[in-house]
Amino acid sequence: MRPEISVVMPIYNGQMYLKEAIESILSQTFSDFEFIIINDGSTDRSEEVVKSYKDERIVYLDNGRNLGLSKSFNVGIKTARGTYIARMDADDVADPRRFEKQLAYFKAHPKISILGTAVITTDETGRAGKIIRKPKEHWLIKWQSLLSIPLFHPTVMTRAETLKQNPFDENLHNSEDYELWSRLLFTTPAKFANLKEGLLKYRAFPQSFTQNLKTEKREASAIN
């Protein structure tokens, strides 16, 4: 039977926080989903962690080697059977009512195609920090996109056909999400929105992946 939501989560050497991320999805109050986890060539214990769960909603895919985030997401999008596709990162923690609240918004706003939420920052120990919000309305999101990323990527849920018709650009690295949202905002009729509620604990600390991008990768992201 077709699930309502397909959750897509690539992992690459994510064992440190992976258990928390998986359990935050499996414990959602809205339970009609498939959880597509793509192992993108991990060399740590990520596969062992995923396979320790026997939940039938988990769909485990193994790339066999490291293909990169954009290609891994596209693998998950092609596999997805749900009416909606939700993003998730392997080091974040979803609020138990994230899917319930995002789905309710979609049902009440049929013209919206892409929906993000606010986030609650956490440090490496999981201690909560401040809530950070992005613009709520489409036109403000469009303006924001000219200056910076207008969505918190791990919070995004979309109508499935939006991503199936507009996949990630596999030639890009580090900024593939920003390019996709910009492309959708300026070349398609897709409408965006952000919820003001912090429905994801977002890890942001000095040793995180984003903070440790090498200079050349930061430059590549800016060019993209």
Side-chain angles (χ1 to χ4, degrees):
M1 187 173 178
R2 184 183 184 187
E4 188 78 353
I5 299 171
S6 293
V7 187
V8 177
M9 185 178 78
I11 50 173
Y12 176 68
N13 291 344
Q15 70 175 47
M16 183 176 295
Y17 302 113
L18 185 55
K19 193 176 179 72
E20 256 189 294
I22 291 174
E23 291 180 0
S24 75
I25 297 300
L26 297 182
S27 61
Q28 289 288 303
T29 55
F30 182 85
S31 60
D32 183 16
F33 61 82
E34 61 178 355
F35 190 6
I36 303 169
I37 302 176
I38 304 106
N39 185 358
D40 189 29
S42 297
T43 56
D44 64 357
R45 294 179 52 252
S46 293
E47 179 176 67
E48 181 182 332
V49 172
V50 176
K51 289 188 172 180
S52 70
Y53 292 90
K54 306 306 178 186
D55 195 300
E56 61 183 12
R57 294 172 295 182
I58 292 177
V59 179
Y60 178 67
L61 305 177
D62 189 352
N63 288 341
R65 59 190 178 90
N66 183 242
L67 300 180
L69 195 58
S70 54
K71 289 184 179 180
S72 295
F73 268 120
N74 283 342
V75 167
I77 290 165
K78 289 176 184 176
T79 303
R81 298 180 298 119
T83 304
Y84 301 88
I85 295 176
R87 270 209 53 173
M88 183 62 184
D89 280 352
D91 58 353
D92 295 325
V93 179
D95 181 278
R97 297 186 65 189
R98 176 191 163 190
F99 294 167
E100 176 187 340
K101 292 190 174 187
Q102 286 186 292
L103 192 59
Y105 188 91
F106 272 119
K107 302 292 188 184
H109 301 83
K111 292 184 178 180
I112 295 298
S113 300
I114 299 97
L115 178 64
T117 80
V119 299
I120 300 169
T121 62
T122 64
D123 62 17
E124 61 269 37
T125 69
R127 183 174 55 190
K130 59 184 178 180
I131 186 168
I132 306 178
R133 297 180 173 92
K134 295 288 188 180
K136 289 174 56 179
E137 298 177 27
H138 177 82
W139 70 275
L140 289 171
I141 290 170
K142 196 168 186 176
W143 274 108
Q144 175 83 54
S145 73
L146 298 174
L147 303 171
S148 62
I149 300 172
L151 303 161
F152 290 110
H153 298 155
T155 72
V156 170
M157 183 183 289
T158 76
R159 297 188 189 276
E161 64 268 18
T162 301
L163 288 186
K164 287 185 179 289
Q165 294 170 9
N166 301 276
F168 287 90
D169 185 334
E170 297 183 356
N171 296 312
L172 299 182
H173 303 283
N174 308 320
S175 55
E176 60 282 327
D177 285 355
Y178 195 2
E179 186 279 333
L180 175 60
W181 310 139
S182 298
R183 181 170 13 118
L184 288 170
L185 280 164
F186 289 96
T187 67
T188 76
K191 298 297 182 184
F192 286 60
N194 278 308
L195 298 181
K196 66 178 182 179
E197 296 173 87
L199 297 179
L200 186 94
K201 291 182 179 178
Y202 182 74
R203 294 191 196 274
F205 49 93
Q207 290 76 40
S208 67
F209 170 78
T210 303
Q211 298 299 321
N212 280 310
L213 282 180
K214 293 182 179 179
T215 301
E216 60 268 26
K217 289 187 177 180
R218 290 178 184 270
E219 290 175 352
S221 293
I223 290 169
N224 290 340

